[in-house]
Amino acid sequence: MVNWSLINSTGRKLSSSKIRKSIVSFMTKHHPCSVVSSIEKKYNAYKIHLMNGLCLIFDADGHYVKTN
């Protein structure tokens, strides 16, 4: 995916591997054959752009929020 480092979230530190596992788990279950075209880290969210045109949004803790 990307080189994830330690991420601060609402005053506490989260392991980047926990967030990555959450996102990868969601992707594997709900979009198993999709190809990621880009990942944007916003202040409080991650935007995962897929080659099929979907954009998945996850919160700062790596939990799925919505699809655009």
Side-chain angles (χ1 to χ4, degrees):
M1 243 176 165
V2 287
N3 184 11
W4 301 65
S5 57
L6 194 62
I7 298 159
N8 290 319
S9 174
T10 59
R12 59 191 162 93
K13 290 187 176 182
L14 291 174
S15 165
S16 60
S17 62
K18 257 189 174 176
I19 293 170
R20 182 175 51 224
K21 284 179 187 175
S22 175
I23 292 173
V24 170
S25 175
F26 180 88
M27 294 289 298
T28 302
K29 184 175 181 181
H30 299 285
H31 300 279
C33 296
S34 296
V35 177
V36 174
S37 64
S38 66
I39 300 172
E40 292 179 57
K41 182 184 183 304
K42 300 291 184 180
Y43 174 72
N44 60 352
Y46 293 95
K47 292 176 83 175
I48 312 290
H49 299 274
L50 305 179
M51 292 294 281
N52 63 6
L54 291 177
C55 177
L56 307 175
I57 300 175
F58 296 84
D59 66 12
D61 293 331
H63 299 110
Y64 173 75
V65 176
K66 66 179 180 176
T67 301
N68 284 343

